[in-house]
Amino acid sequence: MSRYQDTFAALAGRGDVAGATAIVDRVRHQLEGSQTIISPPRARRRLTGPVLTAAVFAVMLAVVGAGWALRIAGDHAGDATGTTWVTAGTTAANERFFAIAGGSGGFVADTLRPVIRFSADGITWEEVDLSEMTGAWTPERLLSGTGGWALVGLDIDHRAMILTSPDGQEWTKGAFPDVLSRSLASVAVGAGSYLAWTAAPFADSTAELWWSDNAASWQRVDPAVFADGLPDSIVGHGRGYVAWSGDLALDGGAPYPIYTSGDGVTWRETQLEIDPDLAAVVTSWEPALAQTVGDRWIILGIGHGPEIEPTTLVWTSADGVSWQAQPTPTFDVEDGLANQVGWLLPAGENLIAIVSDAALVEGEDGVRTAHWDEGSARAWATSDGVIWIAGERFEPSVRRATIAIVDGSAIGWWEPGNRPQFVSAPVTTVTTPPESELDPAGIALQDEILADGEVTRAEFESAVAAMAQCLTDHGLEDVHWSVDDDGGFGFGHRSEDDEAESLIGNYCEASYVDRLSAALR
Amino acid sequence: MNQTSQMTAEDEDLIRALYPSLRRFAGVVGSLALEPDDLVQEALVRAFRTVRLLDLEDPAAYLRRTVVNLASSGWRRRARERRAVRRLTTEISQTNPAIYPSDIADLLQVEPRGRAVLYLHDIEGLDFTEVARMTDMTEGAARMLASRSRRKLRKLLESEATR
């Protein structure tokens, strides 16, 4: 990026500078009735009808081993109960929330006043007065972790302060060392500890990283623990932290160095490697989000390539050190457009990825372009980072929303006008189905094949063919399949019900193929 | 249309404080056909027509988001016009005006929102949480857009190297 720094400076300084006084005069003049200089954007039309419904949902799943078997609890026929988002409540018209974060037992929202609101259900919000601790201040960050919440803001002298709470209702004022108070960049909440670091323009080598287990006394983290200097992205989660340097987008086959830590003090360098099947099409990639569910660490990344839309990549780890690339999630897109994962949040035994889709919008000249702000969003649930179960779509796009999830329920918030709106729903539950709920014919077939401890290609093909028949029997059309030389397989079909496809696919795969794939791996 | 706020002396002081950085930002995200001061002016006018500037929790972030939105809508409109001009030019002579490669031309091929993300993160040194606030997107989306924009710049550099 250094090549472009001077160019950015040139752009930033271009044109005749009117000066602040002239701008003040011009604004006042325009407010009093002068014409606007820039025309308002033309009305855009979102395509409906044939353009959307003509989409053919053709899904190819590349399954490479793994002994998992998951589906929505209680009903494998595709019922979406528990995934519909409904309006949960509103607050007073003039109250504006800054952010929402879910944690143990409820949600916390910070406001423009020195108060926060706490809610156990997303509907009723009780006020907690922080003014004695904060005075007049501006909230900057609301974070949640396994130890509770952290609220960071700036006082009237623009000095950073931090408040913490174990339950969202009782708050304690912490204390930053002077350097953090003067130049705090951000804070991460891990498993019972906090990390805070200073702003680092141009990767300034003077940036500092600090650790605390109580937000009141802080210790500086030795930067030498990071071989390449302080990383510029640190993500806190339920089992610690993941860190990396965000500017590092590598060529497809190169491993990506990251750092992980359980306590924020001891860091281990490790690497992410891309799935060899993807290396052919993904030419650059980098991590983006990290979380944990149960004992499993999960990182979502972004892969790019000249032939593909930006692609979500997944890695999982049992210890934060050894990472395995997982199949790319099939976050099916309504309009065949790119999508983006905006949030990755823990919810009980699951992780919920909120995926936002772009919408195709036709301009007056007939040119259709993708607009993120007019798309919709969908919650995808996973318990292992491998199988992702779709919830229903909801609008608006999460780009304008804050999402928080707590104890199996979810809440979103966005702000049409100045009146906050809330939606909430129990999120999809993902569990490993007991064998008794799978297709007995598939279980018997896998038992028979595995009896001699060997899976031949012919046997595997027969199982995949039976799985394809299972999909057909459950209503999928034009099911086709193939088996790779290395024991992987793929299948595709036509269906306009991608949720049913996902559920039925998991049911049939789990019944007929999963244990064989695991044996082949 | 919401009621227009009256500009107070406190508002004027706030504008004077925010103007230098906001103007630099407008210069980066706006197209060359747009004067940065015009973008700043329009963003301020729209802000006053919607809210009272001093009531905003973060006026700087609000105004930057407005500038990005204005630049994006303007960029799209001009992009369509350019296509029309190009079609017309091609029909007449089959000779397009020469487009000379330059770093500025490279940057202007990145969409305004992408330029905004790169500028805020790489030049102003904001972390992606802050960049997301300034550009009205999620942190993950900001990271993705930065990555996509860098990829585009790399591709442009590579293509220049082979020319």
Side-chain angles (χ1 to χ4, degrees), chain A residues 44-393:
Chain A
R44 294 182 303 217
R45 183 166 66 87
R46 178 169 180 171
L47 297 180
T48 56
V51 175
L52 297 183
T53 56
V56 176
F57 294 94
V59 181
M60 289 298 295
L61 295 179
V63 181
V64 186
W68 32 256
L70 304 167
R71 61 182 173 78
I72 287 180
D75 189 345
H76 58 252
D79 176 65
T81 300
T83 61
T84 302
W85 289 61
V86 297
T87 299
T90 61
T91 64
N94 292 327
E95 183 166 57
R96 301 181 65 187
F97 283 10
F98 194 80
I100 295 175
S104 177
F107 305 96
V108 166
D110 59 346
T111 74
L112 301 181
R113 295 178 295 142
V115 302
I116 61 99
R117 283 187 178 268
F118 176 82
S119 175
D121 57 10
I123 298 173
T124 304
W125 296 80
E126 57 187 88
E127 182 175 301
V128 179
D129 189 347
L130 306 176
S131 60
E132 287 191 6
M133 287 181 283
T134 66
W137 85 325
T138 304
E140 291 283 329
R141 302 271 194 287
L142 176 61
L143 304 151
S144 63
T146 52
W149 282 268
L151 181 55
V152 177
L154 298 175
D155 67 14
I156 56 174
D157 295 322
H158 295 278
R159 297 178 73 87
M161 69 172 78
I162 182 170
L163 282 69
T164 60
S165 172
D167 58 8
Q169 299 176 84
E170 298 294 329
W171 290 80
T172 303
K173 185 177 181 179
F176 280 134
D178 187 58
V179 64
L180 289 176
S181 178
R182 284 187 286 104
S183 55
L184 179 74
S186 197
V187 173
V189 180
S193 64
Y194 308 91
L195 287 174
W197 56 97
T198 60
F202 309 109
D204 189 341
S205 61
T206 62
E208 296 182 8
L209 177 66
W210 291 72
W211 172 93
S212 174
D213 60 358
N214 59 10
S217 59
W218 295 81
Q219 303 171 26
R220 189 175 175 193
V221 176
D222 182 359
V225 300
F226 303 101
D228 300 317
L230 287 181
D232 61 11
S233 294
I234 301 177
V235 178
H237 53 73
R239 295 178 67 82
Y241 304 90
V242 174
W244 63 84
S245 292
D247 288 345
L248 200 59
L250 301 177
D251 291 339
Y256 198 109
I258 64 169
Y259 297 90
T260 62
S261 175
D263 58 12
V265 177
T266 304
W267 292 82
R268 294 160 297 193
E269 182 175 3
T270 183
Q271 292 180 328
L272 301 180
E273 294 187 359
I274 197 167
D275 187 307
D277 292 339
L278 287 172
V281 292
V282 174
T283 55
S284 67
W285 51 282
E286 60 187 319
L289 301 166
Q291 264 297 354
T292 53
V293 55
D295 292 333
R296 191 177 293 245
W297 301 50
I298 295 178
I299 289 178
L300 295 190
I302 306 161
H304 302 283
E307 308 297 329
I308 60 171
E309 292 289 345
T311 299
T312 301
L313 307 174
V314 181
W315 294 268
T316 61
S317 173
D319 55 10
V321 178
S322 175
W323 291 84
Q324 293 79 45
Q326 300 296 347
T328 298
T330 53
F331 293 144
D332 306 318
V333 181
E334 186 176 20
D335 302 345
L337 295 170
N339 53 29
Q340 55 189 6
V341 180
W343 307 88
L344 184 64
L345 300 164
E349 297 180 352
N350 304 306
L351 280 182
I352 306 298
I354 308 294
V355 182
S356 181
D357 296 346
L360 268 179
V361 177
E362 183 174 321
E364 292 180 356
D365 59 357
V367 175
R368 288 179 292 176
T369 53
H371 290 263
W372 296 104
D373 51 355
E374 298 195 17
S376 58
R378 169 178 285 187
W380 291 77
T382 185
S383 67
D384 64 354
V386 180
I387 289 291
W388 297 80
I389 305 298
E392 290 187 354
R393 291 187 179 281

Side-chain angles (χ1 to χ4, degrees), chain A residues 418, chain B residues 1-5 45-52 62:
Chain A
N418 285 331
Chain B
M1 178 68 68
N2 293 300
Q3 188 173 3
T4 300
S5 300
V45 168
R46 292 186 182 214
F48 276 104
R49 284 175 173 162
T50 307
V51 295
R52 187 165 180 265
Y62 182 91

Side-chain angles (χ1 to χ4, degrees), chain B residues 85-99:
Chain B
V85 170
R86 189 169 301 167
R87 282 198 298 269
L88 182 61
T89 308
T90 304
E91 288 169 5
I92 292 173
S93 66
Q94 295 295 315
T95 305
N96 285 325
I99 300 174

Side-chain angles (χ1 to χ4, degrees), chain A residues 358-517:
Chain A
L360 268 179
V361 177
E362 183 174 321
E364 292 180 356
D365 59 357
V367 175
R368 288 179 292 176
T369 53
H371 290 263
W372 296 104
D373 51 355
E374 298 195 17
S376 58
R378 169 178 285 187
W380 291 77
T382 185
S383 67
D384 64 354
V386 180
I387 289 291
W388 297 80
I389 305 298
E392 290 187 354
R393 291 187 179 281
F394 56 93
E395 293 186 5
S397 162
V398 293
R399 273 188 46 189
R400 296 196 59 79
T402 293
I403 305 288
I405 296 174
V406 58
D407 294 344
S409 63
I411 184 168
W413 158 73
W414 67 88
E415 191 180 17
N418 285 331
R419 188 176 178 82
Q421 298 284 329
F422 301 92
V423 291
S424 71
V427 297
T428 305
T429 304
V430 181
T431 59
T432 301
E435 186 175 300
S436 60
E437 293 185 10
L438 299 177
D439 188 340
I443 297 300
L445 178 60
Q446 291 194 84
D447 286 344
E448 180 183 338
I449 292 173
L450 290 169
D452 61 359
E454 182 182 5
V455 182
T456 67
R457 174 169 181 138
E459 289 172 333
F460 191 58
E461 286 182 344
S462 70
V464 175
M467 180 209 69
Q469 185 60 49
C470 171
L471 296 174
T472 301
D473 293 344
H474 283 80
L476 271 64
E477 299 176 354
D478 296 341
V479 176
H480 52 280
W481 57 272
S482 63
V483 172
D484 304 330
D485 290 337
D486 60 0
F489 75 97
F491 69 89
H493 64 88
R494 287 170 57 94
S495 170
E496 292 190 359
D497 187 348
D498 51 347
E499 290 160 18
E501 167 271 317
S502 178
L503 297 174
I504 294 170
N506 295 331
Y507 170 70
C508 293
E509 290 170 48
S511 299
Y512 284 87
V513 177
D514 280 351
R515 283 187 291 146
L516 304 184
S517 293

Side-chain angles (χ1 to χ4, degrees), chain A residues 14-19 22-23 26-27 30 35-39, chain B residues 19 22-23 26-27 30-46 66-67 70-71 78:
Chain A
R14 68 186 173 86
D16 297 327
V17 180
I23 289 297
R26 284 162 56 171
V27 170
Q30 191 171 341
Q35 66 178 8
T36 56
I37 290 177
I38 301 172
S39 301
Chain B
Y19 171 77
L22 190 61
R23 193 198 179 281
S31 75
L32 292 180
L34 274 176
E35 282 294 323
D37 278 325
D38 289 347
L39 272 176
V40 171
Q41 177 184 341
E42 185 65 15
L44 287 165
V45 168
R46 292 186 182 214
T66 306
V67 165
L70 288 168
R78 268 174 287 283

